[in-house]
Amino acid sequence: LVCSPAAAFPALEIEVAGGVSGRDSVQSIAPTRAGRVGLDLFDRVTVSMRGMSLSPVSAPTQVWGFLADAHVHTRGRFQVNGGLGVGFALATFSSGDRALDVNLSGVRPFLLADVGVRLALGHFFIGLNAGGWPWTPMWMGTLSFGVRFFGD
C-alpha cells in the first residue's frame, strides 16, 4: 500500500461559476450562478456541497438548487471530469403586485449530471461544464473559477 501526501491530506476546493441554463427552447435561457465547496479525496474524487440559481435575479419566479455532489476526475494539469449531484430545488413564486405581495414556495427533488474539463494553474483552476437534469428537458453550461487549498 502506497500513501502519498496528497492522498493523506485532502485538498479543499472553492469554486464560483456562471453560465446559462434553459429548457427545450431558446426563449427559456436564463443566467445560472453557482458556488461549490468540496474536498478532493485521493486526487481523483471530489465530494462537494453546491448551491445554484437557475433563474434571473429580477424574475418573479426564483429557482435555487442545493446539492451534495461527487465528481470523478483525471489527474494532472488538464482534467476531464464527470459528476452527479443529488439534492433539492426550491422555487419561490411572487405575485408581482407589491400591494398584495404574495409569495408561494415549492420544493422538489433535484438531480444534476454533468461533464466537463478544467485547466489547473498551480492552486487555481478554470473549468467548462455542461449538464442536465436526467428526467426533464433542462440543460446548463458554466464557466468556473476555483482555488485549491492544502493537499498537493
Short mmCIF file of all heavy atoms in Angstrom, two decimals, residues 70-143:
data_model
loop_
_atom_site.label_atom_id
_atom_site.label_comp_id
_atom_site.label_asym_id
_atom_site.label_seq_id
_atom_site.Cartn_x
_atom_site.Cartn_y
_atom_site.Cartn_z
N ALA A 70 -20.75 14.53 -6.22
CA ALA A 70 -19.47 13.83 -6.31
C ALA A 70 -19.00 13.88 -7.75
O ALA A 70 -19.80 13.65 -8.67
CB ALA A 70 -19.61 12.39 -5.84
N HIS A 71 -17.73 14.24 -7.94
CA HIS A 71 -17.14 14.28 -9.28
C HIS A 71 -15.92 13.36 -9.31
O HIS A 71 -15.11 13.38 -8.39
CB HIS A 71 -16.68 15.70 -9.64
CG HIS A 71 -17.75 16.52 -10.24
ND1 HIS A 71 -18.70 17.16 -9.49
CD2 HIS A 71 -18.04 16.79 -11.53
CE1 HIS A 71 -19.52 17.80 -10.28
NE2 HIS A 71 -19.15 17.60 -11.52
N VAL A 72 -15.82 12.59 -10.34
CA VAL A 72 -14.64 11.77 -10.60
C VAL A 72 -13.85 12.50 -11.68
O VAL A 72 -14.43 13.00 -12.65
CB VAL A 72 -15.05 10.37 -11.09
CG1 VAL A 72 -13.83 9.54 -11.43
CG2 VAL A 72 -15.90 9.67 -10.04
N HIS A 73 -12.54 12.63 -11.49
CA HIS A 73 -11.73 13.38 -12.45
C HIS A 73 -10.35 12.77 -12.63
O HIS A 73 -9.88 12.01 -11.79
CB HIS A 73 -11.60 14.85 -12.01
CG HIS A 73 -11.06 15.02 -10.63
ND1 HIS A 73 -9.72 15.02 -10.36
CD2 HIS A 73 -11.71 15.20 -9.45
CE1 HIS A 73 -9.54 15.19 -9.05
NE2 HIS A 73 -10.74 15.30 -8.47
N THR A 74 -9.74 13.12 -13.75
CA THR A 74 -8.38 12.67 -14.01
C THR A 74 -7.41 13.56 -13.24
O THR A 74 -7.78 14.62 -12.74
CB THR A 74 -8.07 12.75 -15.52
OG1 THR A 74 -8.23 14.10 -15.96
CG2 THR A 74 -8.98 11.84 -16.31
N ARG A 75 -6.18 13.14 -13.15
CA ARG A 75 -5.12 13.94 -12.50
C ARG A 75 -4.41 14.78 -13.55
O ARG A 75 -4.57 14.58 -14.74
CB ARG A 75 -4.10 13.01 -11.85
CG ARG A 75 -4.64 12.28 -10.67
CD ARG A 75 -3.55 11.42 -10.07
NE ARG A 75 -4.06 10.74 -8.89
CZ ARG A 75 -3.46 9.76 -8.29
NH1 ARG A 75 -2.30 9.33 -8.74
NH2 ARG A 75 -3.98 9.20 -7.23
N GLY A 76 -3.62 15.71 -13.08
CA GLY A 76 -2.77 16.47 -13.98
C GLY A 76 -3.26 17.88 -14.23
O GLY A 76 -4.23 18.35 -13.64
N ARG A 77 -2.55 18.54 -15.12
CA ARG A 77 -2.84 19.95 -15.44
C ARG A 77 -4.17 20.08 -16.19
O ARG A 77 -4.95 20.98 -15.97
CB ARG A 77 -1.69 20.52 -16.25
CG ARG A 77 -1.85 21.97 -16.55
CD ARG A 77 -0.63 22.49 -17.30
NE ARG A 77 -0.78 23.90 -17.52
CZ ARG A 77 -0.06 24.82 -16.92
NH1 ARG A 77 0.88 24.47 -16.08
NH2 ARG A 77 -0.26 26.08 -17.18
N PHE A 78 -4.42 19.19 -17.17
CA PHE A 78 -5.66 19.18 -17.93
C PHE A 78 -6.51 18.03 -17.41
O PHE A 78 -6.10 16.88 -17.49
CB PHE A 78 -5.37 19.03 -19.42
CG PHE A 78 -6.60 19.02 -20.26
CD1 PHE A 78 -7.27 20.20 -20.55
CD2 PHE A 78 -7.10 17.84 -20.76
CE1 PHE A 78 -8.42 20.20 -21.33
CE2 PHE A 78 -8.24 17.81 -21.55
CZ PHE A 78 -8.90 19.00 -21.82
N GLN A 79 -7.67 18.33 -16.87
CA GLN A 79 -8.50 17.29 -16.24
C GLN A 79 -9.85 17.16 -16.94
O GLN A 79 -10.44 18.15 -17.36
CB GLN A 79 -8.74 17.63 -14.77
CG GLN A 79 -7.47 17.70 -13.96
CD GLN A 79 -7.73 18.08 -12.51
OE1 GLN A 79 -8.85 18.37 -12.11
NE2 GLN A 79 -6.68 18.09 -11.73
N VAL A 80 -10.32 15.94 -17.04
CA VAL A 80 -11.65 15.63 -17.54
C VAL A 80 -12.44 15.15 -16.34
O VAL A 80 -11.93 14.39 -15.51
CB VAL A 80 -11.59 14.54 -18.63
CG1 VAL A 80 -12.98 14.16 -19.10
CG2 VAL A 80 -10.72 14.99 -19.78
N ASN A 81 -13.71 15.59 -16.21
CA ASN A 81 -14.49 15.19 -15.04
C ASN A 81 -15.92 14.87 -15.41
O ASN A 81 -16.43 15.28 -16.45
CB ASN A 81 -14.44 16.27 -13.96
CG ASN A 81 -15.13 17.54 -14.37
OD1 ASN A 81 -16.35 17.58 -14.52
ND2 ASN A 81 -14.36 18.61 -14.57
N GLY A 82 -16.55 14.12 -14.54
CA GLY A 82 -17.96 13.79 -14.67
C GLY A 82 -18.53 13.68 -13.27
O GLY A 82 -17.84 13.22 -12.36
N GLY A 83 -19.76 14.12 -13.10
CA GLY A 83 -20.31 14.09 -11.75
C GLY A 83 -21.81 13.95 -11.70
O GLY A 83 -22.51 14.02 -12.71
N LEU A 84 -22.27 13.73 -10.48
CA LEU A 84 -23.68 13.57 -10.20
C LEU A 84 -23.98 14.28 -8.89
O LEU A 84 -23.27 14.08 -7.90
CB LEU A 84 -24.03 12.08 -10.09
CG LEU A 84 -25.50 11.74 -9.92
CD1 LEU A 84 -26.29 12.14 -11.15
CD2 LEU A 84 -25.64 10.25 -9.67
N GLY A 85 -25.00 15.12 -8.89
CA GLY A 85 -25.42 15.82 -7.69
C GLY A 85 -26.85 15.47 -7.35
O GLY A 85 -27.70 15.36 -8.23
N VAL A 86 -27.12 15.30 -6.07
CA VAL A 86 -28.45 14.96 -5.59
C VAL A 86 -28.82 15.94 -4.49
O VAL A 86 -28.02 16.21 -3.60
CB VAL A 86 -28.49 13.52 -5.03
CG1 VAL A 86 -29.85 13.18 -4.47
CG2 VAL A 86 -28.07 12.52 -6.09
N GLY A 87 -30.02 16.49 -4.56
CA GLY A 87 -30.46 17.43 -3.55
C GLY A 87 -31.89 17.84 -3.76
O GLY A 87 -32.73 17.03 -4.11
N PHE A 88 -32.13 19.16 -3.59
CA PHE A 88 -33.49 19.64 -3.78
C PHE A 88 -33.46 21.00 -4.46
O PHE A 88 -32.47 21.72 -4.41
CB PHE A 88 -34.25 19.72 -2.45
CG PHE A 88 -33.67 20.70 -1.46
CD1 PHE A 88 -34.13 22.01 -1.42
CD2 PHE A 88 -32.68 20.31 -0.58
CE1 PHE A 88 -33.61 22.91 -0.52
CE2 PHE A 88 -32.15 21.21 0.33
CZ PHE A 88 -32.61 22.51 0.36
N ALA A 89 -34.54 21.31 -5.14
CA ALA A 89 -34.71 22.61 -5.77
C ALA A 89 -35.82 23.34 -5.03
O ALA A 89 -36.82 22.74 -4.62
CB ALA A 89 -35.09 22.46 -7.24
N LEU A 90 -35.64 24.63 -4.85
CA LEU A 90 -36.61 25.48 -4.17
C LEU A 90 -37.05 26.55 -5.14
O LEU A 90 -36.21 27.26 -5.69
CB LEU A 90 -35.99 26.11 -2.93
CG LEU A 90 -36.79 27.17 -2.21
CD1 LEU A 90 -38.05 26.56 -1.60
CD2 LEU A 90 -35.95 27.82 -1.13
N ALA A 91 -38.34 26.65 -5.39
CA ALA A 91 -38.88 27.68 -6.27
C ALA A 91 -39.77 28.60 -5.46
O ALA A 91 -40.60 28.14 -4.67
CB ALA A 91 -39.69 27.06 -7.41
N THR A 92 -39.58 29.90 -5.62
CA THR A 92 -40.40 30.91 -4.95
C THR A 92 -41.13 31.70 -6.02
O THR A 92 -40.50 32.23 -6.94
CB THR A 92 -39.53 31.86 -4.11
OG1 THR A 92 -38.79 31.09 -3.18
CG2 THR A 92 -40.38 32.86 -3.37
N PHE A 93 -42.44 31.75 -5.91
CA PHE A 93 -43.28 32.45 -6.88
C PHE A 93 -43.83 33.71 -6.24
O PHE A 93 -44.39 33.66 -5.16
CB PHE A 93 -44.45 31.55 -7.32
CG PHE A 93 -43.99 30.21 -7.79
CD1 PHE A 93 -43.92 29.14 -6.91
CD2 PHE A 93 -43.62 30.01 -9.11
CE1 PHE A 93 -43.49 27.89 -7.34
CE2 PHE A 93 -43.19 28.78 -9.54
CZ PHE A 93 -43.13 27.71 -8.66
N SER A 94 -43.67 34.83 -6.91
CA SER A 94 -44.15 36.11 -6.40
C SER A 94 -45.32 36.58 -7.24
O SER A 94 -45.35 36.38 -8.45
CB SER A 94 -43.02 37.14 -6.45
OG SER A 94 -43.49 38.38 -6.02
N SER A 95 -46.27 37.25 -6.59
CA SER A 95 -47.45 37.75 -7.30
C SER A 95 -47.09 38.89 -8.24
O SER A 95 -47.81 39.16 -9.18
CB SER A 95 -48.49 38.22 -6.29
OG SER A 95 -48.02 39.38 -5.62
N GLY A 96 -46.01 39.59 -7.96
CA GLY A 96 -45.61 40.72 -8.79
C GLY A 96 -46.34 42.00 -8.46
O GLY A 96 -46.03 43.06 -8.96
N ASP A 97 -47.34 41.93 -7.58
CA ASP A 97 -48.09 43.11 -7.17
C ASP A 97 -47.65 43.46 -5.76
O ASP A 97 -47.94 42.74 -4.81
CB ASP A 97 -49.59 42.81 -7.22
CG ASP A 97 -50.44 44.01 -6.84
OD1 ASP A 97 -49.87 45.07 -6.51
OD2 ASP A 97 -51.67 43.88 -6.88
N ARG A 98 -46.93 44.56 -5.60
CA ARG A 98 -46.38 44.94 -4.30
C ARG A 98 -47.46 45.11 -3.24
O ARG A 98 -47.25 44.87 -2.08
CB ARG A 98 -45.56 46.22 -4.42
CG ARG A 98 -44.37 46.08 -5.31
CD ARG A 98 -43.19 45.55 -4.52
NE ARG A 98 -42.05 45.44 -5.42
CZ ARG A 98 -41.19 44.46 -5.35
NH1 ARG A 98 -41.32 43.53 -4.46
NH2 ARG A 98 -40.18 44.41 -6.16
N ALA A 99 -48.65 45.57 -3.64
CA ALA A 99 -49.73 45.79 -2.67
C ALA A 99 -50.22 44.47 -2.07
O ALA A 99 -50.58 44.42 -0.90
CB ALA A 99 -50.89 46.52 -3.34
N LEU A 100 -50.20 43.41 -2.87
CA LEU A 100 -50.69 42.11 -2.38
C LEU A 100 -49.54 41.16 -2.06
O LEU A 100 -49.78 40.08 -1.56
CB LEU A 100 -51.61 41.48 -3.42
CG LEU A 100 -52.88 42.27 -3.72
CD1 LEU A 100 -53.64 41.59 -4.85
CD2 LEU A 100 -53.74 42.40 -2.48
N ASP A 101 -48.33 41.49 -2.40
CA ASP A 101 -47.11 40.73 -2.17
C ASP A 101 -47.31 39.33 -1.60
O ASP A 101 -47.12 39.07 -0.42
CB ASP A 101 -46.17 41.53 -1.26
CG ASP A 101 -44.73 41.10 -1.49
OD1 ASP A 101 -44.46 40.44 -2.51
OD2 ASP A 101 -43.89 41.43 -0.65
N VAL A 102 -47.72 38.41 -2.45
CA VAL A 102 -47.94 37.02 -2.07
C VAL A 102 -46.78 36.18 -2.58
O VAL A 102 -46.44 36.25 -3.76
CB VAL A 102 -49.27 36.50 -2.66
CG1 VAL A 102 -49.44 35.02 -2.35
CG2 VAL A 102 -50.43 37.30 -2.12
N ASN A 103 -46.16 35.42 -1.72
CA ASN A 103 -45.08 34.52 -2.12
C ASN A 103 -45.47 33.09 -1.80
O ASN A 103 -45.93 32.80 -0.70
CB ASN A 103 -43.77 34.86 -1.38
CG ASN A 103 -43.16 36.14 -1.88
OD1 ASN A 103 -43.23 36.46 -3.04
ND2 ASN A 103 -42.56 36.89 -0.97
N LEU A 104 -45.28 32.22 -2.76
CA LEU A 104 -45.51 30.80 -2.57
C LEU A 104 -44.21 30.08 -2.86
O LEU A 104 -43.43 30.50 -3.71
CB LEU A 104 -46.60 30.30 -3.53
CG LEU A 104 -47.95 30.99 -3.43
CD1 LEU A 104 -48.84 30.54 -4.58
CD2 LEU A 104 -48.59 30.68 -2.10
N SER A 105 -43.94 28.99 -2.17
CA SER A 105 -42.71 28.24 -2.38
C SER A 105 -43.03 26.78 -2.63
O SER A 105 -44.03 26.26 -2.13
CB SER A 105 -41.80 28.34 -1.16
OG SER A 105 -41.36 29.66 -0.97
N GLY A 106 -42.19 26.15 -3.40
CA GLY A 106 -42.32 24.72 -3.66
C GLY A 106 -40.94 24.07 -3.61
O GLY A 106 -39.96 24.67 -4.03
N VAL A 107 -40.87 22.87 -3.11
CA VAL A 107 -39.61 22.13 -3.02
C VAL A 107 -39.81 20.79 -3.73
O VAL A 107 -40.84 20.15 -3.56
CB VAL A 107 -39.21 21.89 -1.54
CG1 VAL A 107 -37.94 21.05 -1.47
CG2 VAL A 107 -39.04 23.20 -0.82
N ARG A 108 -38.81 20.40 -4.51
CA ARG A 108 -38.88 19.08 -5.14
C ARG A 108 -37.48 18.49 -5.26
O ARG A 108 -36.50 19.23 -5.21
CB ARG A 108 -39.56 19.17 -6.50
CG ARG A 108 -38.81 19.97 -7.52
CD ARG A 108 -39.57 20.11 -8.82
NE ARG A 108 -39.88 18.81 -9.35
CZ ARG A 108 -40.53 18.61 -10.47
NH1 ARG A 108 -40.94 19.62 -11.18
NH2 ARG A 108 -40.77 17.40 -10.92
N PRO A 109 -37.38 17.17 -5.43
CA PRO A 109 -36.06 16.55 -5.58
C PRO A 109 -35.34 17.11 -6.81
O PRO A 109 -35.98 17.52 -7.78
CB PRO A 109 -36.38 15.07 -5.79
CG PRO A 109 -37.75 14.89 -5.27
CD PRO A 109 -38.46 16.20 -5.46
N PHE A 110 -34.02 17.12 -6.74
CA PHE A 110 -33.21 17.72 -7.80
C PHE A 110 -32.03 16.80 -8.07
O PHE A 110 -31.33 16.40 -7.14
CB PHE A 110 -32.75 19.10 -7.32
CG PHE A 110 -32.04 19.94 -8.32
CD1 PHE A 110 -32.56 20.19 -9.57
CD2 PHE A 110 -30.83 20.53 -7.99
CE1 PHE A 110 -31.91 21.00 -10.48
CE2 PHE A 110 -30.17 21.35 -8.88
CZ PHE A 110 -30.71 21.59 -10.13
N LEU A 111 -31.82 16.46 -9.32
CA LEU A 111 -30.71 15.59 -9.72
C LEU A 111 -30.01 16.27 -10.90
O LEU A 111 -30.65 16.70 -11.85
CB LEU A 111 -31.23 14.22 -10.16
CG LEU A 111 -30.21 13.21 -10.63
CD1 LEU A 111 -29.31 12.77 -9.48
CD2 LEU A 111 -30.90 12.00 -11.23
N LEU A 112 -28.69 16.40 -10.82
CA LEU A 112 -27.91 17.05 -11.87
C LEU A 112 -26.74 16.15 -12.26
O LEU A 112 -25.99 15.70 -11.40
CB LEU A 112 -27.37 18.40 -11.37
CG LEU A 112 -26.38 19.12 -12.27
CD1 LEU A 112 -27.08 19.60 -13.54
CD2 LEU A 112 -25.75 20.29 -11.55
N ALA A 113 -26.63 15.86 -13.55
CA ALA A 113 -25.49 15.12 -14.07
C ALA A 113 -24.71 16.07 -14.98
O ALA A 113 -25.32 16.81 -15.76
CB ALA A 113 -25.96 13.90 -14.86
N ASP A 114 -23.39 16.08 -14.87
CA ASP A 114 -22.60 16.97 -15.73
C ASP A 114 -21.24 16.37 -16.07
O ASP A 114 -20.76 15.47 -15.40
CB ASP A 114 -22.47 18.36 -15.13
CG ASP A 114 -21.63 18.43 -13.87
OD1 ASP A 114 -21.53 17.41 -13.18
OD2 ASP A 114 -21.10 19.50 -13.57
N VAL A 115 -20.67 16.89 -17.15
CA VAL A 115 -19.33 16.51 -17.59
C VAL A 115 -18.58 17.78 -17.95
O VAL A 115 -19.20 18.80 -18.27
CB VAL A 115 -19.35 15.54 -18.81
CG1 VAL A 115 -19.96 14.21 -18.44
CG2 VAL A 115 -20.07 16.17 -19.98
N GLY A 116 -17.26 17.72 -17.89
CA GLY A 116 -16.52 18.93 -18.22
C GLY A 116 -15.03 18.72 -18.27
O GLY A 116 -14.53 17.60 -18.13
N VAL A 117 -14.35 19.83 -18.45
CA VAL A 117 -12.89 19.87 -18.46
C VAL A 117 -12.44 21.03 -17.60
O VAL A 117 -13.18 21.99 -17.40
CB VAL A 117 -12.33 20.03 -19.90
CG1 VAL A 117 -12.65 18.82 -20.74
CG2 VAL A 117 -12.83 21.30 -20.55
N ARG A 118 -11.23 20.91 -17.07
CA ARG A 118 -10.66 22.06 -16.36
C ARG A 118 -9.16 22.07 -16.51
O ARG A 118 -8.52 21.03 -16.67
CB ARG A 118 -11.12 22.12 -14.92
CG ARG A 118 -10.53 21.14 -13.96
CD ARG A 118 -11.13 21.36 -12.57
NE ARG A 118 -10.45 20.56 -11.59
CZ ARG A 118 -10.78 20.52 -10.32
NH1 ARG A 118 -11.79 21.25 -9.88
NH2 ARG A 118 -10.12 19.78 -9.48
N LEU A 119 -8.63 23.28 -16.44
CA LEU A 119 -7.20 23.51 -16.56
C LEU A 119 -6.69 23.97 -15.21
O LEU A 119 -7.16 24.97 -14.67
CB LEU A 119 -6.93 24.58 -17.62
CG LEU A 119 -5.48 25.01 -17.82
CD1 LEU A 119 -4.65 23.84 -18.34
CD2 LEU A 119 -5.42 26.19 -18.77
N ALA A 120 -5.74 23.22 -14.65
CA ALA A 120 -5.15 23.57 -13.35
C ALA A 120 -3.94 24.47 -13.58
O ALA A 120 -3.06 24.17 -14.38
CB ALA A 120 -4.72 22.30 -12.62
N LEU A 121 -3.92 25.60 -12.87
CA LEU A 121 -2.83 26.56 -12.95
C LEU A 121 -2.29 26.77 -11.54
O LEU A 121 -2.71 27.69 -10.85
CB LEU A 121 -3.33 27.89 -13.54
CG LEU A 121 -4.00 27.79 -14.91
CD1 LEU A 121 -4.74 29.06 -15.25
CD2 LEU A 121 -2.94 27.47 -15.96
N GLY A 122 -1.43 25.86 -11.11
CA GLY A 122 -0.97 25.88 -9.72
C GLY A 122 -2.13 25.51 -8.81
O GLY A 122 -2.77 24.48 -9.00
N HIS A 123 -2.44 26.37 -7.85
CA HIS A 123 -3.56 26.10 -6.94
C HIS A 123 -4.88 26.63 -7.48
O HIS A 123 -5.92 26.49 -6.85
CB HIS A 123 -3.28 26.71 -5.56
CG HIS A 123 -2.24 25.94 -4.81
ND1 HIS A 123 -2.50 24.75 -4.20
CD2 HIS A 123 -0.93 26.19 -4.61
CE1 HIS A 123 -1.40 24.30 -3.63
NE2 HIS A 123 -0.42 25.15 -3.87
N PHE A 124 -4.87 27.26 -8.65
CA PHE A 124 -6.09 27.79 -9.27
C PHE A 124 -6.53 26.90 -10.41
O PHE A 124 -5.73 26.16 -10.98
CB PHE A 124 -5.85 29.22 -9.79
CG PHE A 124 -5.47 30.17 -8.70
CD1 PHE A 124 -4.14 30.42 -8.41
CD2 PHE A 124 -6.45 30.81 -7.95
CE1 PHE A 124 -3.78 31.29 -7.40
CE2 PHE A 124 -6.10 31.69 -6.94
CZ PHE A 124 -4.76 31.92 -6.65
N PHE A 125 -7.81 26.97 -10.77
CA PHE A 125 -8.28 26.23 -11.94
C PHE A 125 -9.41 26.98 -12.63
O PHE A 125 -10.12 27.78 -12.03
CB PHE A 125 -8.71 24.80 -11.57
CG PHE A 125 -9.79 24.70 -10.55
CD1 PHE A 125 -11.13 24.73 -10.91
CD2 PHE A 125 -9.47 24.55 -9.20
CE1 PHE A 125 -12.12 24.63 -9.95
CE2 PHE A 125 -10.47 24.44 -8.24
CZ PHE A 125 -11.80 24.48 -8.62
N ILE A 126 -9.55 26.70 -13.93
CA ILE A 126 -10.60 27.25 -14.78
C ILE A 126 -11.28 26.05 -15.42
O ILE A 126 -10.60 25.15 -15.92
CB ILE A 126 -10.03 28.16 -15.88
CG1 ILE A 126 -9.26 29.33 -15.27
CG2 ILE A 126 -11.12 28.65 -16.81
CD1 ILE A 126 -8.45 30.12 -16.27
N GLY A 127 -12.61 26.02 -15.41
CA GLY A 127 -13.32 24.87 -15.96
C GLY A 127 -14.50 25.23 -16.83
O GLY A 127 -15.07 26.32 -16.71
N LEU A 128 -14.88 24.31 -17.70
CA LEU A 128 -16.09 24.38 -18.51
C LEU A 128 -16.89 23.12 -18.27
O LEU A 128 -16.33 22.01 -18.38
CB LEU A 128 -15.75 24.48 -20.00
CG LEU A 128 -15.23 25.79 -20.52
CD1 LEU A 128 -14.74 25.63 -21.97
CD2 LEU A 128 -16.29 26.87 -20.45
N ASN A 129 -18.16 23.25 -17.94
CA ASN A 129 -19.00 22.09 -17.70
C ASN A 129 -20.34 22.24 -18.41
O ASN A 129 -20.84 23.36 -18.58
CB ASN A 129 -19.26 21.89 -16.20
CG ASN A 129 -18.14 21.14 -15.54
OD1 ASN A 129 -17.01 21.60 -15.53
ND2 ASN A 129 -18.45 19.98 -15.00
N ALA A 130 -20.91 21.13 -18.81
CA ALA A 130 -22.26 21.08 -19.38
C ALA A 130 -22.99 19.95 -18.69
O ALA A 130 -22.41 18.91 -18.37
CB ALA A 130 -22.19 20.84 -20.88
N GLY A 131 -24.26 20.17 -18.42
CA GLY A 131 -25.01 19.14 -17.73
C GLY A 131 -26.49 19.29 -17.93
O GLY A 131 -26.96 20.16 -18.66
N GLY A 132 -27.21 18.43 -17.24
CA GLY A 132 -28.66 18.46 -17.36
C GLY A 132 -29.32 17.66 -16.28
O GLY A 132 -28.68 17.03 -15.45
N TRP A 133 -30.62 17.73 -16.31
CA TRP A 133 -31.48 17.02 -15.39
C TRP A 133 -31.99 15.80 -16.13
O TRP A 133 -32.71 15.95 -17.11
CB TRP A 133 -32.64 17.91 -14.95
CG TRP A 133 -32.20 19.09 -14.16
CD1 TRP A 133 -32.34 19.24 -12.82
CD2 TRP A 133 -31.55 20.28 -14.62
NE1 TRP A 133 -31.81 20.44 -12.42
CE2 TRP A 133 -31.32 21.11 -13.51
CE3 TRP A 133 -31.12 20.74 -15.87
CZ2 TRP A 133 -30.71 22.35 -13.61
CZ3 TRP A 133 -30.51 21.97 -15.96
CH2 TRP A 133 -30.31 22.76 -14.84
N PRO A 134 -31.65 14.61 -15.70
CA PRO A 134 -31.97 13.41 -16.46
C PRO A 134 -33.45 13.20 -16.79
O PRO A 134 -33.77 12.68 -17.83
CB PRO A 134 -31.44 12.28 -15.57
CG PRO A 134 -30.35 12.92 -14.78
CD PRO A 134 -30.81 14.33 -14.55
N TRP A 135 -34.38 13.62 -15.93
CA TRP A 135 -35.79 13.34 -16.21
C TRP A 135 -36.56 14.54 -16.75
O TRP A 135 -37.76 14.47 -16.93
CB TRP A 135 -36.50 12.77 -14.99
CG TRP A 135 -36.55 13.70 -13.82
CD1 TRP A 135 -37.34 14.80 -13.68
CD2 TRP A 135 -35.79 13.63 -12.63
NE1 TRP A 135 -37.13 15.41 -12.50
CE2 TRP A 135 -36.16 14.71 -11.81
CE3 TRP A 135 -34.80 12.75 -12.18
CZ2 TRP A 135 -35.59 14.93 -10.57
CZ3 TRP A 135 -34.25 12.99 -10.93
CH2 TRP A 135 -34.65 14.06 -10.14
N THR A 136 -35.91 15.65 -17.02
CA THR A 136 -36.58 16.82 -17.60
C THR A 136 -35.75 17.35 -18.77
O THR A 136 -34.56 17.06 -18.86
CB THR A 136 -36.75 17.95 -16.57
OG1 THR A 136 -35.46 18.39 -16.16
CG2 THR A 136 -37.55 17.51 -15.36
N PRO A 137 -36.35 18.14 -19.67
CA PRO A 137 -35.60 18.66 -20.81
C PRO A 137 -34.80 19.92 -20.46
O PRO A 137 -34.76 20.86 -21.22
CB PRO A 137 -36.71 18.97 -21.83
CG PRO A 137 -37.88 19.33 -20.98
CD PRO A 137 -37.77 18.45 -19.76
N MET A 138 -34.17 19.96 -19.28
CA MET A 138 -33.38 21.12 -18.87
C MET A 138 -31.90 20.84 -19.05
O MET A 138 -31.46 19.70 -18.93
CB MET A 138 -33.69 21.49 -17.43
CG MET A 138 -35.10 22.00 -17.24
SD MET A 138 -35.39 22.63 -15.59
CE MET A 138 -34.54 24.19 -15.67
N TRP A 139 -31.13 21.90 -19.28
CA TRP A 139 -29.70 21.81 -19.50
C TRP A 139 -29.02 23.04 -18.90
O TRP A 139 -29.68 24.02 -18.58
CB TRP A 139 -29.39 21.71 -20.99
CG TRP A 139 -29.98 22.85 -21.76
CD1 TRP A 139 -31.22 22.88 -22.35
CD2 TRP A 139 -29.40 24.13 -21.98
NE1 TRP A 139 -31.45 24.11 -22.93
CE2 TRP A 139 -30.34 24.90 -22.71
CE3 TRP A 139 -28.19 24.72 -21.64
CZ2 TRP A 139 -30.09 26.21 -23.11
CZ3 TRP A 139 -27.95 26.04 -22.02
CH2 TRP A 139 -28.89 26.76 -22.76
N MET A 140 -27.71 22.98 -18.76
CA MET A 140 -26.94 24.13 -18.30
C MET A 140 -25.51 24.03 -18.80
O MET A 140 -25.01 22.94 -19.10
CB MET A 140 -26.94 24.25 -16.78
CG MET A 140 -26.24 23.13 -16.06
SD MET A 140 -26.09 23.44 -14.33
CE MET A 140 -24.33 23.62 -14.22
N GLY A 141 -24.86 25.18 -18.89
CA GLY A 141 -23.45 25.25 -19.24
C GLY A 141 -22.80 26.33 -18.39
O GLY A 141 -23.40 27.39 -18.21
N THR A 142 -21.63 26.05 -17.82
CA THR A 142 -20.99 27.02 -16.93
C THR A 142 -19.49 27.14 -17.20
O THR A 142 -18.85 26.20 -17.65
CB THR A 142 -21.17 26.66 -15.44
OG1 THR A 142 -20.61 25.37 -15.20
CG2 THR A 142 -22.63 26.68 -15.02
N LEU A 143 -18.99 28.31 -16.88
CA LEU A 143 -17.56 28.60 -16.84
C LEU A 143 -17.24 28.82 -15.36
O LEU A 143 -17.92 29.60 -14.70
CB LEU A 143 -17.24 29.86 -17.64
CG LEU A 143 -15.81 30.41 -17.53
CD1 LEU A 143 -14.81 29.41 -18.09
CD2 LEU A 143 -15.71 31.75 -18.24
#
